[in-house]
Amino acid sequence: MIRAFVARLHQGYRTNRFPAADPMLSPRYRGLPEVFPEKCTSCGLCESACPTAAISIPPTAPKPILDLGRCIFCGGCARVCPEKVIVFSGSFRMGARKSEDLLVGGPSEAGIEKLGRDMLAKFGHSMKFRVVSAGGCNACEADVNVLETIGFDLSRFGLSYAASPRHADGLIIIGPVSKNMEEALKKTWEAMPSPKIAIAIGACAISGGIYRGLPDTSDGATGIIPIDLFIPGCPPHPMTILNGLLALLGRLPEKE
């Protein structure tokens, strides 16, 4: 017991300081992609390289548009583009309240609008989430679960996970929503007391991801229940999830 206490003292404070300060992420981390349309020659290589059809080049405006809701952050588009039109930054800040706001067509950093005044009055300081894995591969599940570890300490923000939907204020959906899970997801949503919110985490939950178009999936949760927040990634980094939750609840410092 004494050895454990001494070891814990030796470890020191392990929780990151976000949002007061950003944590240091790996230089290999692929964050928010930036698109520089003025460099594009409309060769179509990026569109052909994308495995999830996240990139489109409209004939009326032959410049690439990247859908963060479909992107799996494989980096294939950036590797094949000779002009470096698409570049993956190191920013973990991405997400949107509407799926159409996930479209990136130029150098930008996606913003998340916070909830309205009435909802913030109810959930701004404390909130419980029910997590539903609707056919996921466990990658997004792992990054959602890790938020409760000492490195992130989700509870310091008054946020936690609930075992029952009847005790939850928000629903977190992970996975492409397999046909076997569609009814369970609906029943979970119906069992939650109002007011409530729903959050789609990861490309699969937003658009179906790599499973999009398969007969055994529903191409995500968008057409099943109303989604209040989309957090892209495959899987999204824990910091992306945490940033999205805090932005939605108005818990991030205002930008100058």
Side-chain angles (χ1 to χ4, degrees):
M1 182 65 184
I2 294 178
R3 289 182 179 179
F5 181 70
V6 172
R8 183 65 188 89
L9 288 177
H10 179 71
Q11 290 176 9
Y13 188 76
R14 292 297 183 91
T15 305
N16 71 57
R17 297 182 59 233
F18 185 80
D22 289 350
M24 291 185 61
L25 302 183
S26 168
R28 295 180 296 176
Y29 167 67
R30 290 194 190 107
L32 178 69
E34 296 181 343
V35 179
F36 300 91
E38 68 279 2
K39 298 181 179 180
C40 184
T41 59
S42 303
C43 66
L45 289 176
C46 59
E47 189 177 19
S48 301
C50 184
T52 56
I55 299 175
S56 60
I57 303 178
T60 55
K63 305 298 179 183
I65 296 175
L66 192 152
D67 187 347
L68 288 177
R70 294 190 183 189
C71 182
I72 60 172
F73 294 76
C74 65
C77 55
R79 287 193 294 269
V80 301
C81 180
E83 304 298 329
K84 304 300 180 184
V85 175
I86 299 176
V87 177
F88 284 85
S89 73
S91 174
F92 57 81
R93 291 181 172 86
M94 55 185 125
R97 296 290 306 278
K98 300 177 182 178
S99 58
E100 55 265 31
D101 291 338
L102 292 172
L103 301 178
V104 180
S108 65
E109 199 170 83
I112 299 172
E113 182 183 355
K114 64 184 178 182
L115 292 171
R117 181 178 300 178
D118 292 343
M119 294 291 277
L120 285 179
K122 296 178 183 295
F123 302 135
H125 299 286
S126 177
M127 196 169 192
K128 287 185 176 292
F129 297 99
R130 173 61 175 160
V131 181
V132 173
S133 178
C137 69
N138 284 331
C140 290
E141 288 87 339
D143 282 351
V144 167
N145 291 338
V146 80
L147 290 177
E148 287 199 308
T149 63
I150 191 173
F152 301 93
D153 192 14
L154 188 66
S155 61
R156 65 191 164 118
F157 302 106
L159 308 178
S160 60
Y161 302 136
S164 168
R166 300 191 185 280
H167 300 157
D169 308 302
L171 176 62
I172 288 177
I173 306 109
I174 299 166
V177 189
S178 64
K179 294 298 183 180
N180 290 337
M181 282 298 297
E182 185 173 332
E183 186 65 23
L185 180 62
K186 291 179 180 177
K187 288 184 176 180
T188 300
W189 177 248
E190 292 168 359
M192 293 172 56
S194 296
K196 53 191 175 183
I197 64 172
I199 301 169
I201 291 183
C204 288
I206 297 173
S207 65
I210 61 174
Y211 305 103
R212 183 178 179 83
L214 295 181
D216 294 328
T217 70
S218 304
D219 291 344
T222 307
I224 301 174
I225 60 175
I227 304 298
D228 297 281
L229 175 62
F230 299 91
I231 300 180
C234 186
H237 193 281
M239 285 305 307
T240 299
I241 302 173
L242 181 59
N243 177 80
L245 295 178
L246 296 184
L248 182 69
L249 297 174
R251 304 284 294 277
L252 295 180
E254 296 290 339
K255 292 184 178 180
E256 297 181 357

